Amino acid sequence: MDAELIAVGSELLRYARADTNGDWLSGRLNRIGVEIRGRSIVEDHVERIAAAVTAGLGRVELVVLTGGLGPTEDDRTREAVARAVDKPLLRDPEMLARLRAGYAARGYTFREPQSRQADRPQDARWIANPVGSAAGLLVEHEGRLVLALPGVPEEMRATFEAARPVIAARASRVLERRTFRVGGRTESAVDDAIRGLYAGPGTSLTILVSRDGIEVHLRAEGSTPQQARERLEHLDRELAARLGPDLVGRDDETLAVVVGGLLVRRGWTLATAESCTAGLLAATVTEVPGSSAWFRGGVVVYQDELKTSLAGVAAATLREHGAVSESVARELAAGARRATGADVGIGITGVAGPGGGSAEKPVGRVHLALHDPEGVDAWRLDLTGDRQRIRQRSAASALDRLRRRLAR
């Protein structure tokens, strides 16, 4: 089954709001064999919403809308769907009674505008919204489906789950997905490694740049779950063989998760001393539940005097080599380890930009070091991109270097 997603809401166009509903729906629909062929955003305008639905029905078997089902004047999805499928909009007395009872049970006053939530196109089916008042709508039109869901994310998800069995029953194929996380390679280098695997019998690959490095998204389809899984496992083996040690993990196995597991296996703990990344590395590792078992803590030492007083960097080192140097990164790593009693210390110092660079130490120059019971490992990065990208890539490089060191 092919589908298009339509996000309804002027705020998505005028106020830089992200369509997170569409992101979530894409994943959920893929898992039940629905291929997303297009996504669009439409303002709160009946004619434009109706035109988008009509156009979608001319291309795909399923059109899914999110937003515009509330009680306010700018909630216009019901009217637009009715217009697109050429059905009258009717008020359902049973739904109206349920709305009134629901408001009363929660101690709210039911007002006349709320009654709009009881309107639906003729022959449309209600889809229960277990966490809100605006029910979803499912309409069949000339053998194709229109599914309208609330825009509030938690309501949208709950309502979609109520509709999912109906959609899944119409899907003619099964899709399986997996994400490979890759470290230490550029997007082009990954592309070179997987050339020839992009499109095989029932399989496909997509490369994306992520915060931690590169992601390769694997997809396999089949007429049965077993066929789809077998195709995915075959593609997995081929890809893993080509990537070798650059394969960080699969799906939820982020860099931080993998590093945490390797530290636990060794019985080691980690600490950080960060300058240009300003705690981003520490924040990244503590996103992992249970990271307190292997992360001792860290210091942010932006100013030189704090590099000395908190991380133990020698004043002479700073005078001789400057704050952005391999020597300082080494002493930061050693200082993080010494100050916290951790087994592994990571030090990061650099120029994140956009200002502060020089011919000798340009923006994007970052020095990193690892200090552990087996010795010291120091390296330099010369990165491009904006300030946040440089910081993210620095933190990812530190974790990936530690991953490789622990996996030896």
Side-chain angles (χ1 to χ4, degrees):
M1 177 184 286
D2 294 340
E4 290 189 10
L5 307 181
I6 302 172
V8 177
S10 299
E11 70 279 2
L12 298 171
L13 296 169
R14 298 172 186 168
Y15 305 110
R17 297 286 184 89
D19 175 25
T20 57
N21 285 341
D23 297 339
W24 186 87
L25 279 169
S26 293
R28 295 296 290 174
L29 286 164
N30 278 172
R31 289 175 195 152
I32 59 174
V34 178
E35 190 78 55
I36 307 303
R37 296 302 183 187
R39 287 174 58 177
S40 60
I41 300 174
V42 182
E43 64 180 310
D44 299 306
H45 188 282
V46 173
E47 286 76 13
R48 293 188 179 96
I49 300 168
V53 173
T54 300
L57 288 172
R59 294 185 289 256
V60 296
E61 301 162 80
L62 171 67
V63 174
V64 183
L65 300 98
T66 56
L69 293 180
T72 62
E73 184 63 30
D74 62 349
D75 289 314
R76 297 167 179 165
T77 295
R78 293 182 193 82
E79 293 90 333
V81 170
R83 185 169 301 187
V85 300
D86 195 25
K87 296 281 189 177
L89 191 66
L90 305 176
R91 183 152 295 177
D92 182 342
E94 291 186 9
M95 175 58 74
L96 183 59
R98 284 202 295 269
L99 286 168
R100 290 183 181 276
Y103 272 74
R106 294 191 298 271
Y108 296 142
T109 301
F110 187 85
R111 303 182 188 281
E112 181 54 33
Q114 309 290 349
S115 300
R116 300 178 71 239
Q117 294 176 108
D119 295 344
R120 61 175 171 175
Q122 187 178 47
D123 300 324
R125 172 179 170 181
W126 291 114
I127 303 297
N129 176 354
V131 295
S133 60
L137 294 168
L138 184 66
V139 184
E140 183 160 357
H141 179 68
E142 297 179 353
R144 306 196 171 203
L145 295 177
V146 179
L147 174 63
L149 302 170
V152 178
E154 58 268 29
E155 295 187 28
M156 180 277 299
R157 295 178 184 186
T159 308
F160 172 78
E161 291 302 326
R164 183 169 59 85
V166 178
I167 305 301
R170 297 276 291 255
S172 59
R173 60 178 177 260
V174 179
L175 294 178
E176 292 282 347
R177 304 191 311 163
R178 186 168 296 163
T179 299
F180 270 30
R181 301 183 184 277
V182 185
R185 294 202 195 196
T186 64
E187 187 177 13
S188 296
V190 174
D191 176 64
D192 289 340
I194 68 177
R195 195 153 293 168
L197 296 179
Y198 274 102
T203 63
S204 64
L205 297 176
T206 302
I207 298 178
L208 297 175
V209 177
S210 72
R211 183 182 70 174
D212 287 346
I214 305 296
E215 294 178 354
V216 183
H217 292 259
L218 294 65
R219 290 165 47 86
E221 67 176 61
S223 57
T224 66
Q226 181 179 353
Q227 185 182 53
R229 281 194 299 271
E230 288 175 351
R231 286 174 171 173
L232 184 67
E233 294 304 328
H234 176 75
L235 184 59
D236 183 299
R237 290 191 295 272
E238 289 280 337
L239 187 57
R242 296 193 185 195
L243 293 173
D246 294 331
L247 172 58
V248 174
R250 296 167 173 83
D251 295 330
D252 295 332
E253 295 175 334
T254 64
L255 256 176
V257 168
V258 171
V259 165
L262 291 169
L263 285 167
V264 169
R265 189 179 308 167
R266 289 248 189 154
W268 285 3
T269 56
L270 170 67
T272 58
E274 304 178 64
S275 182
C276 65
T277 47
L280 181 60
L281 176 56
T284 299
V285 299
T286 54
E287 288 175 2
V288 179
S291 54
S292 58
W294 47 270
F295 183 65
R296 296 277 294 172
V299 292
V300 175
V301 285
Y302 232 55
Q303 298 297 319
D304 285 357
E305 59 266 30
L306 294 182
K307 291 180 176 68
T308 298
S309 62
L310 295 181
V313 177
T317 303
L318 287 164
R319 286 195 302 270
E320 183 176 351
H321 300 283
V324 180
S325 63
E326 178 182 321
S327 298
V328 168
R330 285 173 172 266
E331 292 191 22
L332 286 172
R337 187 180 175 201
R338 183 175 54 250
T340 63
D343 299 284
V344 182
I346 295 179
I348 305 178
T349 180
V351 185
S358 65
E360 184 182 16
K361 297 177 180 180
V363 170
R365 172 71 52 83
V366 182
H367 288 276
L368 307 93
L370 281 168
H371 194 288
D372 65 25
E374 297 176 356
V376 181
D377 181 17
W379 68 103
R380 190 185 89 184
L381 302 174
D382 286 293
L383 303 171
T384 58
D386 62 18
R387 180 180 181 84
Q388 186 63 7
R389 184 69 180 136
I390 289 170
R391 286 154 44 95
Q392 288 175 339
R393 292 175 68 186
S394 299
S397 178
L399 283 175
D400 191 53
R401 194 75 158 229
L402 177 56
R403 175 185 70 86
R404 293 169 191 269
R405 193 170 173 90
L406 291 168
R408 291 182 307 187

